[in-house]
Amino acid sequence: MAPDSTSTNDTSGLNRKWWKEAVVYQIYPRSFKDDNGDGVGDLKGIISKLDYIKSLGIDVIWLNPVYSSPNGDNGYDISDYQNIMQQFGTMNDFDALLKGMHERGLKLVMDLVVNHSSDQHEWFKQSRSSRTNPYRDYYHWWPAEKGTPPHRYSFFDVNNEAWKYDSITNSYYLHYFGDFQPDLNWENPKVREEIFNMMKFWFDKGVDGFRMDVIPFISKDTTFPPLPAKYNGNFVDYYAHGPHVHDYLQQMNKEVMSKYDVMTVAEGIGLTTDDAHDYVDDDRHELNMLYHFEGVSLGYLPNQFKVPDPNGYSVVEFKKIYSKWDSVFENKGWGTVFLGNHDQPRMVTRWGNDSGGYRVLSSKMLTTFLMTMRATPYYYNGDELGMNNIKFDKIDDYRDVESLNMYKQIKEKGGDLQAFLNAQKISARDNSRTPFQWNDSLNAGFTTGAPWLKVNPNYKTVNVEAEEKDSNSCLNYFKKIVKLRKDNLVLVYGKYTLLDESNPQVYAYTRELNGTKFLVLLNFSKNAAIANTGIDLTNANLLIDNYTTANNTAALRPYEAAVYELK
Ligand code: TEU
């Protein structure tokens, strides 16, 4: 297909693009469906469920990494970028998966993890072997005779130290994540060339895009100056978003993306609204979209590791953040919206209410939010079932390197382990990584073996088979609202206007396009609430409501979500 072609004949003035109109559905392959009974999801498993995926009405699938990996961080530590992880299958399986998706009109977006590789990658094995090895400059090394390198924070290191001493060459190497995930040196043109060729390999196979892992981290100040005394923990300033990030992305676009009709989305860690346009505006020739962390960071206590505020989060703040990010792209660029992914807890637990009988209602309410914003929605597998956090009691149940190493760190420092475990019940990544719930048989129909991570015991009732039969299920609601979005361009491109800004319970907004006007009312609380929009709803046309009975008033029931067309 021609580069930059649109999905439509664009006479609308909307700058229409297929990736703006798409609903992206994220599949976590490790937990989706296990075909061979080893307890780990695989590509054949996904192939066996393609009809289910198609039935959702979504257009694009983002697949977490499936490349060869020792799995220190579930595939985010890649040892061969052009091969498939053994546990997941073979390249033939991959080709069959891509074919099966394309036959169904589904597009496939892969994960691009190029800030770091695995320490088992051949490049790193060579690099660490001697100071004169041709691969030495593929990574960041600090010779020990220069003294201890200036501190850099590492996400998954037990001591949060990103420099690791390697005795083979008496040097330290840099790892912003686990010590098994050495950072690649993007300053080296050979590294960039290798990565661009690898991207072409996948695009030539027909892959439709990349989600780019921690992409603002690829450029760093490689003189690694000591952190200033005033350092406030802002990654963007000292760790990432370095002097060449835009040069590298422009080079990548020119040499790779510009030659294909594909979509790209940055994991925009640390990026603010001030940075956004430089990454995604058409005339920058870099990426198409980014997803920011401002929304999902709300409601955690400051300066602590993902500890939820006991008072919950402020709905007024929530509205402010999403409205601000909408306005950034009012005239240029394009946004994204998400509430869950493999790094986040389950959406309904974190942003809705998974207790007191509110799981289904609040889950549908959040889905309504995601499907009615002016941004491409990224929807995480299992959220369409209203899956919630498993909330492990013991550290032994966790598999995630982030949780395990943070536990070790707190233990070594003599910190409060119980408080950590309590917080993890809300915020740990493994909450969203539990096996997908297909039916009420053994292990939720995910595997016939021993699942790599425990299955949420609520699978007996929360599962695809049961929800397909229930017209009021989360699943059927999801299909309905996806269709509503796909059928109404106003939900994609229409102007967004926030109403009743200071209402602490209700999120209300209109969407408008060419004379069509929709009103979205969302009660984010378990109490009844009034939406003070000043709009008379008597004659409004109710398009969807998460309660079975229509309402047509400003009075909202607990976690009610309603979308109206205004006459
Ligand atoms: O995530 C980067 C990242 O920001 C996370 O480490 C995040 O900060 C953390 O989950 C918050 O607790 C990406 C991937 O999405 C993640 O799965 C990987 O572990 C990480 O990069 C390293 O590749």
Side-chain angles (χ1 to χ4, degrees), residues 24 26 62 211 265-268 290-297 318 322 335-345 347 351 366 369-371 373 375-380 383:
V24 180
Q26 181 190 350
W62 154 26
R211 170 268 185 190
V265 55
E267 187 195 21
L290 63 85
Y291 65 87
H292 63 84
F293 279 58
E294 238 185 294
V296 292
S297 305
F318 185 95
Y322 288 98
T336 63
V337 64
F338 74 104
L339 290 174
N341 64 35
H342 66 293
D343 290 335
Q344 300 295 328
M347 158 176 104
W351 304 105
L366 296 168
F369 164 68
L370 292 170
M371 294 302 149
M373 289 296 282
T376 298
Y378 286 70
Y379 200 88
Y380 186 62
D383 283 347

Side-chain angles (χ1 to χ4, degrees), residues 73 76 113 116 155-156 177 181 211 213-214 267 269 291 293 305-306 342-343 402 429 433:
D73 183 20
Y76 283 93
V113 190
H116 45 269
F155 279 81
F156 305 148
F177 293 89
Q181 292 165 299
R211 170 268 185 190
D213 194 59
V214 293
E267 187 195 21
I269 184 166
Y291 65 87
F293 279 58
F305 180 70
K306 299 204 286 192
H342 66 293
D343 290 335
E402 177 174 271
R429 307 196 296 182
R433 298 176 177 185

Side-chain angles (χ1 to χ4, degrees), residues 499-535:
L499 307 172
D500 200 7
E501 213 176 307
S502 58
N503 192 321
Q505 293 167 276
V506 176
Y507 194 166
Y509 45 95
T510 52
R511 304 291 315 277
E512 281 170 88
L513 183 72
N514 301 330
T516 304
K517 187 167 179 180
F518 282 14
L519 171 69
V520 181
L521 299 180
L522 308 168
N523 182 356
F524 270 67
S525 81
K526 65 177 178 198
N527 300 313
I530 304 286
N532 299 304
T533 63
I535 296 171

